[in-house]
């Protein structure tokens, strides 16, 4: 058995185990799928970004959006046609958009697939944190709605770690109820992120489990309908108890 096939078999065994633990949503790891397009570094960067000093092609989806946006669209469509149930779009459905249009939302509307709209900024340059986040997310949601996607297909993600300072990330979780008040199901993704490392003074992402649990539990009490985590089985146990306490 080759090294590649051996790794694939190991991942499949791990996936089967996780499914038995009743994961509700699996993350498709788009960065890996990008490699199937066999884009060379020069193709990936394009003329505009020939001297780009950022991440490599697997890690920099933002650069790919600028140079090969059609690839991202094709990948999402391939995922859906292969049986994916939901798209979690870190661009909030805003890539390749024109006024009043969102190709991502149009695809999801056409295929009747739920779309998670995430808030993000390139820089955390807020003058009034919460009003700006709410207004920008509402704008993204309206753009998606204008394409014909049904309201019940839409979720929202506050974008923990995306264009926020560590203090703003913590504020985001602390007052997540403000985001939930938009009226759409909320996905919260804090697992192992650098803000938690700063709080714990822990550089190793694998040692941030307690912080992940704390933010997940706080988040669900503030209205999160789903949490995105790495350590599924142990965190699920915490959430089962939290749910029992909340429901009485």
């Amino acid at each position: 058995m080759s090294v590649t096939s051996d790794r694939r078999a190991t991942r499949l065994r791990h996936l089967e185990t996780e499914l038995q633990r009743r994961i509700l949503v699996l993350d498709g790891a788009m960065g890996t799928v990008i490699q199937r397009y066999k884009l060379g570094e020069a193709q990936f960067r394009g003329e505009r970004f020939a001297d780009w000093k950022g991440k490599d092609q697997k890690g920099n989806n933002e650069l790919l959006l600028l140079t090969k946006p059609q690839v991202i669209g094709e990948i999402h469509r391939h995922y859906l046609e292969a049986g994916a149930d939901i798209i979690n779009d870190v661009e909030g459905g805003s890539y390749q958009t024109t006024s009043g249009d969102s190709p991502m939302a149009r695809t999801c509307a056409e295929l009747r697939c739920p779309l998670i709209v995430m808030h993000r900024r390139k820089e955390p340059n807020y003058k009034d944190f919460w009003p700006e986040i709410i207004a920008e997310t509402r704008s993204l949601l309206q753009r998606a709605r204008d394409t014909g996607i049904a309201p019940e297909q839409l979720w929202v993600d506050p974008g923990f770690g995306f264009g926020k300072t560590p203090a703003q990330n913590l504020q985001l979780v602390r007052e997540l109820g403000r985001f939930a008040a938009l009226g759409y199901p909320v996905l919260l993704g804090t697992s192992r992120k650098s803000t938690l490392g700063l709080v714990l003074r822990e550089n190793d992402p694998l040692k941030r489990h307690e912080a992940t649990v704390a933010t997940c539990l706080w988040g669900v009490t503030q209205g999160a309908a789903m949490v995105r985590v790495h350590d599924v089985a142990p965190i699920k146990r915490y959430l089962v108890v939290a749910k029992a306490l909340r429901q009485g």
Side-chain angles (χ1 to χ4, degrees), residues 17-25 191 209 212-214 216-217 220 226-246:
T17 299
E18 293 300 306
L19 286 172
Q20 291 172 3
R21 291 170 174 167
R22 297 179 66 83
I23 294 179
L24 297 182
V25 178
S191 184
H209 177 73
T212 298
V213 170
C216 286
L217 291 177
V220 297
M226 185 193 306
V227 292
R228 182 180 182 274
V229 299
H230 297 82
D231 302 313
V232 176
I235 290 179
K236 178 191 171 185
R237 292 170 65 85
Y238 287 102
L239 295 176
V240 167
V241 176
K243 180 179 179 181
L245 290 171
R246 183 173 54 184

Side-chain angles (χ1 to χ4, degrees), residues 97-231:
T97 56
T98 57
S99 179
D101 182 47
S102 168
M104 176 63 71
R106 262 193 290 108
T107 297
C108 290
E110 176 187 340
L111 300 178
R112 301 184 182 277
C113 168
L115 173 64
I116 302 174
V117 173
M118 194 190 82
H119 175 273
R120 71 180 300 176
R121 274 192 186 181
K122 292 187 180 298
E123 299 293 337
N125 52 353
Y126 304 92
K127 293 181 179 178
D128 199 349
F129 184 66
W130 271 114
E132 290 179 39
I133 285 181
I134 296 300
E136 290 167 11
T137 304
R138 280 181 173 151
S139 177
L140 293 171
L141 289 166
Q142 187 59 54
R143 178 180 286 166
R145 292 281 304 275
D146 288 344
T147 67
I149 193 169
E152 58 269 21
Q153 287 179 245
L154 291 169
W155 285 59
V156 288
D157 180 340
F160 185 98
F162 289 85
K164 284 94 178 171
T165 66
Q168 289 167 346
N169 283 326
L170 295 177
Q171 184 180 357
L172 202 65
V173 179
R174 184 185 310 119
E175 302 173 15
L176 191 65
R178 294 191 183 205
F179 204 71
L182 284 166
Y184 295 86
V186 176
L187 167 66
L188 178 64
T190 62
S191 184
R192 299 181 181 177
K193 290 192 174 179
S194 59
T195 291
L196 306 187
L198 290 173
V199 173
L200 293 179
R201 297 182 180 180
E202 178 56 70
N203 292 327
D204 186 351
L206 297 178
K207 296 180 180 178
R208 298 172 186 169
H209 177 73
E210 298 88 349
T212 298
V213 170
T215 52
C216 286
L217 291 177
W218 187 278
V220 297
T221 65
Q222 292 292 307
M226 185 193 306
V227 292
R228 182 180 182 274
V229 299
H230 297 82
D231 302 313

Side-chain angles (χ1 to χ4, degrees), residues 13-81:
R13 286 195 297 271
H14 176 70
L15 176 58
E16 289 173 356
T17 299
E18 293 300 306
L19 286 172
Q20 291 172 3
R21 291 170 174 167
R22 297 179 66 83
I23 294 179
L24 297 182
V25 178
L26 297 171
D27 190 317
M30 187 177 72
T32 302
V33 176
I34 286 173
Q35 301 314 293
R36 295 181 184 175
Y37 284 78
K38 302 185 184 301
L39 296 174
E41 195 73 19
Q43 292 174 290
F44 183 79
R45 293 174 183 273
E47 292 182 7
R48 291 172 59 197
F49 300 94
D51 298 323
W52 180 262
K53 303 299 183 183
K55 300 176 183 177
D56 62 18
Q57 58 178 308
K58 181 177 179 180
N60 202 330
N61 293 344
E62 291 182 356
L63 182 56
L64 190 62
L65 282 171
L66 295 173
T67 59
K68 298 285 183 180
Q70 70 278 11
V71 171
I72 298 295
E74 289 170 8
I75 287 172
H76 283 130
R77 182 170 286 277
H78 290 334
Y79 265 136
L80 293 170
E81 290 174 349

